[in-house]
Amino acid sequence: MATKTAEGAGTETGAQHDETVAETAVTGEARAPEQQETGEETAAAEPGRASGVGQGAGAVVSAALGLVSLNGGWVGSVASARAQLMGQLKTSSQAGVAQQIKAVYGDAWHATALWAGLFAVAALVVGVAVLARPAFGAPGRPQAPWIKSVAWGGVALGVVGLLLAVLKYSDALLGLPSAG
C-alpha cells in the first residue's frame, strides 16, 4: 500500500511511513526514507570503520588534565602538604628564618609546581596524540569538529599549565619572600 506524503513529492510504503513517524517522534525531525540510515548503522555495517569514541574520550581527558594542571589537583595538594611536613621535621628551631621558610614553604610550593607541570605535560601528550591520530589511522575519514576543538583546548590548557608550572618552580611567579 503506497500513500502520498504531505508534500505530494513521493510515495512511501506503510513500513517506511511507520519508521519515519517513529523517528520523528524520537528525534523531532523527519527525513526522507533514503536518509534513514544513521552513522551508527553505517559503522555497524562496515566493521573496519571506527566511530571515533576513543578519540573523543582522549580529547576530553586532555582538556581535563589541562584544567588539573592549572590548579595542581589533589595529588599536588598532597605532595605539597607532605613537603611542608617534611620541611617542619627536618628544620630545627635553631635554624634561621630563611632556612625555615625555604624548607617549610618553598619545597611545598615546588612540589605543587612539579605536579602541575606533570599534569600539563600529560595534557599536551594526550591532546597532540588525539590531533595526530587521523594521520596514522584512517586517512580518508575526517575527525569530528568537536573532537578537534576539545583536543586543541586541552593542548592550550596544557601549554598554559606548563608555563605557569615552570614560572612557579623557578620562583619567577610568586617567589618566596626574603627573610632579611
Side-chain angles (χ1 to χ4, degrees), residues 72 76 79-81 83-84 101-118 164-176:
S80 173
Q84 190 173 11
I101 289 174
K102 183 188 178 324
V104 175
Y105 300 108
D107 292 345
W109 182 249
H110 291 155
T112 302
L114 180 66
W115 279 101
L118 291 174
L164 288 174
V166 167
L167 289 174
K168 285 192 307 188
Y169 195 83
S170 66
D171 291 331
L173 177 68
L174 299 173
L176 290 174

Side-chain angles (χ1 to χ4, degrees), residues 103-163:
V104 175
Y105 300 108
D107 292 345
W109 182 249
H110 291 155
T112 302
L114 180 66
W115 279 101
L118 291 174
F119 279 111
V121 168
L124 283 169
V125 168
V126 172
V128 168
V130 168
L131 290 171
R133 172 68 174 108
F136 299 107
R141 184 153 189 258
Q143 196 172 41
W146 75 268
I147 293 175
K148 286 182 183 179
S149 297
V150 174
W152 275 115
V155 168
L157 288 170
V159 167
V160 171
L162 187 59
L163 177 65

Side-chain angles (χ1 to χ4, degrees), residues 54-67:
Q55 291 180 29
V60 171
V61 166
S62 172
L65 287 170
L67 285 173

